[in-house]
Amino acid sequence: MRRRQVVVVGAGPAGLAAARSALAAGAEVTLLDSAPDPGGQYHRMLPEEYEAARPERLQHGWRDFARLRRALLGHPRCTWRAETSVWALERRGPGERKPPRVHVLHGPADGSGRTRHTLDPDALVLATGAHDRVLPFPGWELPGVFTAGAAQALAKGERVVVGDRVVVAGSGPFLLPVAASLLEAGARVREVLEASTPATLVRGWSHRPWQLAAQVGKTAELVEYAGALARHRVPYRTGRTVVEARGEGRVEEVVTARLRPDWSVVPSSERTVAVDAVCVAHGFSPQLELPVAAGCLVDSTPAGEFVRVDGDQRTSVAGVWAAGEITGIAGAPAARAEGALAGWYAAGGPVGARPLRALRRSRDQGRAFAERLARAHPVGAAWPGWLRPETLVCRCEETPYGALCRAAEEPAGAAARTAKLATRAGLGPCQARMCGPTVTELTARLRGPAPDGHDTDGLPAPAIHRRPLAQPIRLGELAAGPAPVPEPEREPEPDGTGHPQSSTPNPLTKESS
């Protein structure tokens, strides 16, 4: 009997859990990720060539991850495709209840000789994760200003520090592991600045305190990070953030200021701190290119836009499931629970399995935690007060804030598409992946409700996540056409029955975080 073919995009906590669950349900699984190793940002690994004596340093849940990695990569029904990006999803015709065709590029992102293939799965699980959201401020384009995620990736994946004297600033608990990673890798963290005020933090975290009982693992992590800051005598300040970076040719100092609850600057509270690097993050932006390309409905929430899923992690598109940060920012344990559910149902697993209850409970606890995060660490409405007319809002195209203001004053330039062409904001190499949410928010404030929020001239309504090509592809690669999908080397299943392998843990068993 032909097995169900499941493609999982993304090999972070959600994608790995989905792959394991789909295997246990009896499917053939193809696991795709643009990185050379599975794990995502959460389990970013040192290259094997480093032969690290303690690869588990800077990691949480390493033992579980290592066991899962071995089980998946050695499973006869799991095909692991490293350095493979999905550059487009092709929707089916009317009446075809199959997931989109998956167009992939295989090879290093900057390398030559990449090949492209197409996959036609029976089910598709999207677990593409999120990236840092960074609000602009004067001087943020200077060398030495990093996203917190990039700084952590260098520390985890290369043991490289972005500077000797570093300030970590922004909003959210993610600042703590970033600071801890920098300290462990050898940097001197001058201070960690949380923009939310103490009153906002208390109001957010004290709401329904009994719900925190389900997050014991996170409490242990918090204690560990707090201990690291205390040992290195790193101040953790709330209600303060970086509002300017200064330097000749690179960042040499930052200006920090005390904030009100709406993130407006308290007058005369500014002070300067000498640094050679600053790491900033103001939350996360889910990577929605592929869900939007597939036609999945997206919900707007106070914390951002996320893929709409039902209780089984099924999206609005037939044959497509979603899991992890694209459905809500709730941390790795919730992503694993969502991934396990998505993989199980994508593979056609029985709906009545008793352990599903525990997974649903874990998933729901994660969603409650996500709501708490949004309340405790909201982006203050007055943050544009940090901007000056010359402050860049799109670093790729060097578009200043003043250009957005002028475009909004022009009747002909008020439409989103016209303003984009006039200012070039979002048209650079990142294609608005970094500046998109900020430019959208600022232009909406400047011009009011969008005048072209409907189809015009046969074009779909403007949306920051809608991109015909999800990843850059060279014209030569496009012209070459797709190559046949290479056949993976298969080992016969040990028991010959097609039942889940004993080396694959039960996907419905709750993991430690």
Side-chain angles (χ1 to χ4, degrees):
M1 184 178 69
R2 179 181 177 274
R3 292 184 184 275
R4 193 169 169 83
Q5 308 289 315
V6 176
V7 167
V8 179
V9 183
L16 294 177
R20 180 177 66 176
S21 191
L23 288 169
E28 293 268 357
V29 174
T30 301
L31 179 60
L32 311 175
D33 199 285
S34 58
D37 295 296
Q41 172 70 5
Y42 190 77
H43 285 301
R44 184 176 290 273
M45 302 166 56
L46 283 170
E48 291 185 0
E49 294 80 7
Y50 287 19
E51 298 180 346
R54 293 180 56 202
E56 74 278 10
R57 286 177 64 192
L58 307 180
Q59 299 279 351
H60 284 93
W62 177 260
R63 188 172 300 175
D64 287 339
F65 165 67
R67 187 165 51 239
L68 174 58
R69 180 175 182 272
R70 285 194 301 273
L72 290 178
L73 301 193
H75 198 288
R77 283 187 280 109
C78 182
T79 301
W80 160 240
R81 299 201 183 280
E83 296 185 317
T84 300
S85 302
V86 178
W87 65 274
L89 291 179
E90 180 183 347
R91 299 187 200 180
R92 303 291 181 173
E96 286 188 87
R97 294 190 60 78
K98 290 190 67 176
R101 175 169 291 160
V102 183
H103 293 265
V104 303
L105 267 176
H106 175 68
D110 299 324
S112 58
R114 297 188 300 180
T115 55
R116 71 182 180 96
H117 313 285
T118 58
L119 304 172
D120 289 297
D122 299 312
L124 176 64
V125 179
L126 299 176
T128 49
H131 52 69
D132 301 79
R133 184 185 178 190
V134 177
L135 301 177
F137 50 84
W140 75 309
E141 72 278 9
L142 284 171
V145 179
F146 294 84
T147 65
Q152 191 192 43
L154 287 170
K156 272 186 167 183
E158 300 290 340
R159 296 294 190 269
V160 170
V161 294
V162 295
D164 179 48
R165 299 169 300 166
V166 187
V167 164
V168 179
S171 184
F174 180 54
L175 303 179
L176 296 174
V178 171
S181 298
L182 291 170
L183 290 168
E184 184 69 28
R188 185 155 57 99
V189 179
R190 299 291 307 272
E191 52 190 0
V192 178
L193 305 178
E194 165 58 58
S196 287
T197 63
T200 304
L201 292 170
V202 169
R203 195 162 48 246
W205 286 109
S206 63
H207 181 71
R208 297 180 179 178
W210 59 88
Q211 292 179 344
L212 287 175
Q215 308 295 334
V216 176
K218 293 184 184 298
T219 304
E221 283 188 39
L222 178 64
V223 170
E224 181 182 334
Y225 299 141
L229 296 188
R231 285 194 304 277
H232 291 85
R233 298 183 179 180
V234 178
Y236 178 80
R237 308 184 197 283
T238 57
R240 180 172 282 274
T241 197
V242 171
V243 295
E244 184 177 0
R246 298 171 177 165
E248 293 295 330
R250 63 163 294 115
V251 64
E252 295 171 351
E253 65 180 25
V254 292
V255 179
T256 74
R258 195 150 55 86
L259 301 179
R260 300 188 181 96
D262 64 356
W263 289 21
S264 58
V265 172
V266 175
S268 304
S269 66
E270 294 90 348
R271 60 181 177 80
T272 60
V273 181
V275 298
D276 49 27
V278 56
C279 306
V280 287
H282 303 94
F284 293 93
S285 294
Q287 298 193 44
L288 297 179
E289 292 96 340
L290 295 182
V292 170
C296 301
L297 293 178
V298 174
D299 289 327
S300 293
T301 75
E305 294 184 313
F306 299 100
V307 179
R308 181 185 299 176
V309 292
D310 65 9
D312 298 338
Q313 299 301 129
R314 186 183 286 104
T315 72
S316 58
V317 176
V320 180
W321 281 257
E325 290 164 322
I326 57 175
T327 68
I329 308 296
R336 292 190 193 102
E338 290 193 358
L341 286 168
W344 184 258
Y345 287 115
V351 298
R354 180 179 295 179
L356 289 173
R357 296 179 191 170
L359 281 177
R360 291 181 189 279
R361 186 166 57 250
S362 179
R363 186 266 314 276
D364 294 343
Q365 289 167 346
R367 289 179 177 174
F369 185 75
E371 293 176 6
R372 181 184 299 276
L373 272 177
R375 278 194 299 271
H377 303 276
V379 174
W383 72 265
W386 310 346
L387 304 177
R388 300 170 187 155
E390 66 274 17
T391 303
L392 299 185
V393 292
C394 170
R395 302 207 307 189
C396 295
E397 290 292 319
E398 298 185 344
T399 304
Y401 177 53
L404 284 187
C405 298
R406 290 191 294 275
E409 292 172 355
E410 295 289 334
R417 285 195 173 87
T418 310
K420 193 173 184 179
L421 292 173
T423 64
R424 301 287 304 168
L427 293 178
C430 91
Q431 288 289 288
R433 287 175 176 82
M434 294 302 296
C435 68
T438 294
V439 171
T440 300
E441 178 183 345
L442 290 175
T443 51
R445 288 180 181 219
L446 291 167
R447 71 166 191 257
D452 57 356
H454 57 275
D455 291 359
T456 54
D457 298 331
L459 298 175
I464 61 173
H465 303 293
R466 181 176 290 116
R467 299 180 182 90
L469 304 182
Q471 296 289 333
I473 180 171
R474 300 183 181 91
L475 290 176
E477 294 165 339
L478 198 59
V485 179
E487 287 291 331
E489 296 181 3
R490 298 291 194 195
E491 296 290 339
E493 294 188 50
D495 62 2
T497 64
H499 294 161
Q501 300 300 293
S502 58
S503 60
T504 302
N506 185 341
L508 308 182
T509 301
K510 186 177 179 181
E511 294 179 41
S512 59
S513 60

